[in-house]
Amino acid sequence: MAGGPRRTRHIPIRMCVACRQSSAKRALVRLVRDRTGAVVVDPTGKHPGRGAYLCPLRPCWEMALRRGSLEQALKTRLSPEEVTRLREQAATYPEAAPAP
């Protein structure tokens, strides 16, 4: 059908468990509790298991680990090793969002 209205593509929206800001799914980092109970970063966003999303900003990761919102969202307890690994991952993210 030529000249018809163009359909806009659906963009999934997710919420950061730390700052509670909604954003496009691909703009956030997904963490997943897999079948073994381990919490891992899911770069593809497709791993099976219970997922939670965080902004790719260091303060959000620190807040989620400090307040326990990540544990609550994933319905699990993080081991000290997992917390250490997630803090190392958080260190790779910027302190603040880049200016537009």
Side-chain angles (χ1 to χ4, degrees):
M1 201 150 102
R6 295 194 64 129
R7 291 188 62 175
T8 58
R9 186 163 174 85
H10 173 72
I11 300 172
I13 303 294
R14 299 292 183 264
M15 184 183 295
C16 173
V17 297
C19 69
R20 313 294 292 169
Q21 292 240 326
S22 294
S23 190
K25 180 180 173 181
R26 292 198 170 239
L28 299 172
V29 179
R30 181 173 188 252
L31 290 104
V32 66
R33 183 192 68 199
D34 63 15
R35 292 182 182 128
T36 66
V39 175
V40 294
V41 175
D42 176 12
T44 64
K46 296 181 180 188
H47 286 296
R50 184 164 188 89
Y53 292 85
L54 285 171
C55 294
L57 299 171
R58 195 174 315 142
C60 284
W61 284 64
E62 291 297 330
M63 187 185 319
L65 292 170
R66 187 175 62 248
R67 290 184 179 170
S69 54
L70 184 59
E71 289 180 326
Q72 187 175 6
L74 294 174
K75 295 186 178 181
T76 191
R77 282 300 227 187
L78 295 173
S79 70
E81 295 81 20
E82 287 173 322
V83 171
T84 301
R85 193 169 32 78
L86 293 174
R87 285 192 196 281
E88 289 170 358
Q89 178 76 27
T92 65
Y93 295 117
E95 195 66 37

